[in-house]
Amino acid sequence: MTDFLQVSTATENRDAAVRLAQSVVSARLAAGAQIVGPVGSVFWHQGEFGSGEEWQLVLKVRSDRYDEVEAHLLKHHPWQNPEVSAVAIVAGSHAYLHWLETTTAPD
């Protein structure tokens, strides 16, 4: 089986998260996306300390397509320098991982 990742990013509102999720899933770069929010965020940005609310987007992807996923997110994201990070899916049900693998297989 192919290795898999959960890739996350955040947006400032739900509509932006939905648009971004639809974009990456319709491109078949992610098998699915979960949108969580609003979530509280505390951060440093451009030298200033801040806090606010964001909408988190979690994508299920093949690790061999991570570079494509990252490029897509950076191109379509409404922010200039968004978080794009990934963590490995170290285990999962066979049927779920098979779905993830086949749904996002390159043409």
Side-chain angles (χ1 to χ4, degrees), residues 11-14 17 34-40 53-57:
T11 62
E12 69 180 341
N13 60 53
R14 184 182 186 282
Q34 294 172 316
I35 298 168
V36 182
V39 296
E53 289 185 343
E54 298 176 337
W55 289 78
Q56 186 177 33
L57 179 59

PDB file of all heavy atoms in Angstrom, residues 11-14 17 34-40 53-57:
ATOM      1  N   THR A  11      -8.205  28.644   7.328  1.00  0.00           N
ATOM      2  CA  THR A  11      -8.673  29.840   6.636  1.00  0.00           C
ATOM      3  C   THR A  11      -9.397  30.720   7.650  1.00  0.00           C
ATOM      4  O   THR A  11      -9.706  30.283   8.752  1.00  0.00           O
ATOM      5  CB  THR A  11      -9.639  29.490   5.486  1.00  0.00           C
ATOM      6  OG1 THR A  11     -10.794  28.841   6.025  1.00  0.00           O
ATOM      7  CG2 THR A  11      -8.968  28.589   4.457  1.00  0.00           C
ATOM      8  N   GLU A  12      -9.702  31.945   7.231  1.00  0.00           N
ATOM      9  CA  GLU A  12     -10.331  32.859   8.176  1.00  0.00           C
ATOM     10  C   GLU A  12     -11.839  32.670   8.314  1.00  0.00           C
ATOM     11  O   GLU A  12     -12.438  33.164   9.261  1.00  0.00           O
ATOM     12  CB  GLU A  12     -10.015  34.314   7.835  1.00  0.00           C
ATOM     13  CG  GLU A  12     -10.650  34.813   6.568  1.00  0.00           C
ATOM     14  CD  GLU A  12     -10.302  36.270   6.294  1.00  0.00           C
ATOM     15  OE1 GLU A  12      -9.886  36.984   7.219  1.00  0.00           O
ATOM     16  OE2 GLU A  12     -10.466  36.684   5.144  1.00  0.00           O
ATOM     17  N   ASN A  13     -12.486  31.939   7.366  1.00  0.00           N
ATOM     18  CA  ASN A  13     -13.924  31.721   7.481  1.00  0.00           C
ATOM     19  C   ASN A  13     -14.312  30.398   6.825  1.00  0.00           C
ATOM     20  O   ASN A  13     -13.527  29.795   6.093  1.00  0.00           O
ATOM     21  CB  ASN A  13     -14.719  32.908   6.905  1.00  0.00           C
ATOM     22  CG  ASN A  13     -14.426  33.162   5.441  1.00  0.00           C
ATOM     23  OD1 ASN A  13     -14.516  32.264   4.614  1.00  0.00           O
ATOM     24  ND2 ASN A  13     -14.039  34.394   5.120  1.00  0.00           N
ATOM     25  N   ARG A  14     -15.524  29.976   7.102  1.00  0.00           N
ATOM     26  CA  ARG A  14     -16.005  28.679   6.625  1.00  0.00           C
ATOM     27  C   ARG A  14     -16.087  28.632   5.096  1.00  0.00           C
ATOM     28  O   ARG A  14     -15.716  27.646   4.470  1.00  0.00           O
ATOM     29  CB  ARG A  14     -17.377  28.375   7.235  1.00  0.00           C
ATOM     30  CG  ARG A  14     -17.898  26.997   6.874  1.00  0.00           C
ATOM     31  CD  ARG A  14     -19.286  26.746   7.469  1.00  0.00           C
ATOM     32  NE  ARG A  14     -19.706  25.392   7.245  1.00  0.00           N
ATOM     33  CZ  ARG A  14     -20.177  24.927   6.084  1.00  0.00           C
ATOM     34  NH1 ARG A  14     -20.264  25.728   5.041  1.00  0.00           N
ATOM     35  NH2 ARG A  14     -20.540  23.659   5.975  1.00  0.00           N
ATOM     36  N   ALA A  17     -12.802  27.926   3.561  1.00  0.00           N
ATOM     37  CA  ALA A  17     -12.413  26.538   3.807  1.00  0.00           C
ATOM     38  C   ALA A  17     -13.155  25.589   2.880  1.00  0.00           C
ATOM     39  O   ALA A  17     -12.558  24.655   2.327  1.00  0.00           O
ATOM     40  CB  ALA A  17     -12.669  26.169   5.267  1.00  0.00           C
ATOM     41  N   GLN A  34     -12.088  17.375   5.841  1.00  0.00           N
ATOM     42  CA  GLN A  34     -12.927  17.705   6.985  1.00  0.00           C
ATOM     43  C   GLN A  34     -12.669  19.164   7.323  1.00  0.00           C
ATOM     44  O   GLN A  34     -11.523  19.614   7.337  1.00  0.00           O
ATOM     45  CB  GLN A  34     -12.603  16.829   8.178  1.00  0.00           C
ATOM     46  CG  GLN A  34     -12.957  15.378   7.943  1.00  0.00           C
ATOM     47  CD  GLN A  34     -12.453  14.486   9.055  1.00  0.00           C
ATOM     48  OE1 GLN A  34     -11.325  14.625   9.495  1.00  0.00           O
ATOM     49  NE2 GLN A  34     -13.301  13.573   9.495  1.00  0.00           N
ATOM     50  N   ILE A  35     -13.744  19.878   7.600  1.00  0.00           N
ATOM     51  CA  ILE A  35     -13.659  21.286   7.959  1.00  0.00           C
ATOM     52  C   ILE A  35     -14.127  21.410   9.397  1.00  0.00           C
ATOM     53  O   ILE A  35     -15.228  20.987   9.739  1.00  0.00           O
ATOM     54  CB  ILE A  35     -14.519  22.138   7.014  1.00  0.00           C
ATOM     55  CG1 ILE A  35     -13.981  21.996   5.583  1.00  0.00           C
ATOM     56  CG2 ILE A  35     -14.533  23.586   7.466  1.00  0.00           C
ATOM     57  CD1 ILE A  35     -14.897  22.539   4.522  1.00  0.00           C
ATOM     58  N   VAL A  36     -13.271  21.981  10.224  1.00  0.00           N
ATOM     59  CA  VAL A  36     -13.535  22.095  11.649  1.00  0.00           C
ATOM     60  C   VAL A  36     -13.468  23.566  12.036  1.00  0.00           C
ATOM     61  O   VAL A  36     -12.515  24.260  11.690  1.00  0.00           O
ATOM     62  CB  VAL A  36     -12.491  21.307  12.477  1.00  0.00           C
ATOM     63  CG1 VAL A  36     -12.784  21.389  13.957  1.00  0.00           C
ATOM     64  CG2 VAL A  36     -12.395  19.865  12.002  1.00  0.00           C
ATOM     65  N   GLY A  37     -14.480  24.013  12.746  1.00  0.00           N
ATOM     66  CA  GLY A  37     -14.381  25.395  13.185  1.00  0.00           C
ATOM     67  C   GLY A  37     -15.678  25.962  13.701  1.00  0.00           C
ATOM     68  O   GLY A  37     -16.714  25.315  13.633  1.00  0.00           O
ATOM     69  N   PRO A  38     -15.562  27.145  14.188  1.00  0.00           N
ATOM     70  CA  PRO A  38     -14.304  27.870  14.303  1.00  0.00           C
ATOM     71  C   PRO A  38     -13.446  27.310  15.437  1.00  0.00           C
ATOM     72  O   PRO A  38     -13.952  26.750  16.392  1.00  0.00           O
ATOM     73  CB  PRO A  38     -14.728  29.303  14.616  1.00  0.00           C
ATOM     74  CG  PRO A  38     -16.065  29.167  15.277  1.00  0.00           C
ATOM     75  CD  PRO A  38     -16.699  27.942  14.681  1.00  0.00           C
ATOM     76  N   VAL A  39     -12.142  27.454  15.274  1.00  0.00           N
ATOM     77  CA  VAL A  39     -11.181  27.064  16.301  1.00  0.00           C
ATOM     78  C   VAL A  39     -10.425  28.315  16.727  1.00  0.00           C
ATOM     79  O   VAL A  39     -10.167  29.204  15.920  1.00  0.00           O
ATOM     80  CB  VAL A  39     -10.195  25.980  15.819  1.00  0.00           C
ATOM     81  CG1 VAL A  39     -10.924  24.686  15.497  1.00  0.00           C
ATOM     82  CG2 VAL A  39      -9.397  26.433  14.610  1.00  0.00           C
ATOM     83  N   GLY A  40     -10.091  28.368  18.003  1.00  0.00           N
ATOM     84  CA  GLY A  40      -9.305  29.488  18.497  1.00  0.00           C
ATOM     85  C   GLY A  40      -7.860  29.360  18.065  1.00  0.00           C
ATOM     86  O   GLY A  40      -7.325  28.262  17.978  1.00  0.00           O
ATOM     87  N   GLU A  53     -10.063  33.600  15.410  1.00  0.00           N
ATOM     88  CA  GLU A  53     -10.728  32.353  15.048  1.00  0.00           C
ATOM     89  C   GLU A  53     -10.375  31.986  13.614  1.00  0.00           C
ATOM     90  O   GLU A  53     -10.248  32.860  12.750  1.00  0.00           O
ATOM     91  CB  GLU A  53     -12.245  32.489  15.180  1.00  0.00           C
ATOM     92  CG  GLU A  53     -12.721  32.571  16.601  1.00  0.00           C
ATOM     93  CD  GLU A  53     -14.230  32.574  16.713  1.00  0.00           C
ATOM     94  OE1 GLU A  53     -14.945  32.835  15.718  1.00  0.00           O
ATOM     95  OE2 GLU A  53     -14.707  32.317  17.824  1.00  0.00           O
ATOM     96  N   GLU A  54     -10.222  30.687  13.397  1.00  0.00           N
ATOM     97  CA  GLU A  54      -9.925  30.153  12.073  1.00  0.00           C
ATOM     98  C   GLU A  54     -10.791  28.920  11.841  1.00  0.00           C
ATOM     99  O   GLU A  54     -11.387  28.383  12.763  1.00  0.00           O
ATOM    100  CB  GLU A  54      -8.453  29.740  11.964  1.00  0.00           C
ATOM    101  CG  GLU A  54      -7.471  30.872  12.153  1.00  0.00           C
ATOM    102  CD  GLU A  54      -6.029  30.412  12.143  1.00  0.00           C
ATOM    103  OE1 GLU A  54      -5.745  29.211  12.415  1.00  0.00           O
ATOM    104  OE2 GLU A  54      -5.178  31.251  11.853  1.00  0.00           O
ATOM    105  N   TRP A  55     -10.826  28.494  10.601  1.00  0.00           N
ATOM    106  CA  TRP A  55     -11.485  27.244  10.221  1.00  0.00           C
ATOM    107  C   TRP A  55     -10.400  26.309   9.723  1.00  0.00           C
ATOM    108  O   TRP A  55      -9.662  26.641   8.801  1.00  0.00           O
ATOM    109  CB  TRP A  55     -12.535  27.502   9.147  1.00  0.00           C
ATOM    110  CG  TRP A  55     -13.706  28.229   9.721  1.00  0.00           C
ATOM    111  CD1 TRP A  55     -13.777  29.563  10.009  1.00  0.00           C
ATOM    112  CD2 TRP A  55     -14.935  27.661  10.127  1.00  0.00           C
ATOM    113  NE1 TRP A  55     -14.992  29.848  10.567  1.00  0.00           N
ATOM    114  CE2 TRP A  55     -15.731  28.705  10.646  1.00  0.00           C
ATOM    115  CE3 TRP A  55     -15.454  26.376  10.100  1.00  0.00           C
ATOM    116  CZ2 TRP A  55     -17.011  28.494  11.138  1.00  0.00           C
ATOM    117  CZ3 TRP A  55     -16.746  26.169  10.573  1.00  0.00           C
ATOM    118  CH2 TRP A  55     -17.503  27.217  11.088  1.00  0.00           C
ATOM    119  N   GLN A  56     -10.279  25.152  10.373  1.00  0.00           N
ATOM    120  CA  GLN A  56      -9.229  24.194  10.039  1.00  0.00           C
ATOM    121  C   GLN A  56      -9.722  23.245   8.954  1.00  0.00           C
ATOM    122  O   GLN A  56     -10.865  22.768   8.988  1.00  0.00           O
ATOM    123  CB  GLN A  56      -8.821  23.402  11.272  1.00  0.00           C
ATOM    124  CG  GLN A  56      -7.644  22.502  11.026  1.00  0.00           C
ATOM    125  CD  GLN A  56      -7.215  21.777  12.276  1.00  0.00           C
ATOM    126  OE1 GLN A  56      -8.027  21.438  13.119  1.00  0.00           O
ATOM    127  NE2 GLN A  56      -5.931  21.527  12.381  1.00  0.00           N
ATOM    128  N   LEU A  57      -8.853  22.968   8.018  1.00  0.00           N
ATOM    129  CA  LEU A  57      -9.136  22.056   6.925  1.00  0.00           C
ATOM    130  C   LEU A  57      -8.148  20.901   7.020  1.00  0.00           C
ATOM    131  O   LEU A  57      -6.936  21.121   7.065  1.00  0.00           O
ATOM    132  CB  LEU A  57      -8.957  22.808   5.598  1.00  0.00           C
ATOM    133  CG  LEU A  57      -9.169  22.071   4.299  1.00  0.00           C
ATOM    134  CD1 LEU A  57     -10.574  21.504   4.217  1.00  0.00           C
ATOM    135  CD2 LEU A  57      -8.914  23.026   3.138  1.00  0.00           C
TER     136      LEU A  57
END
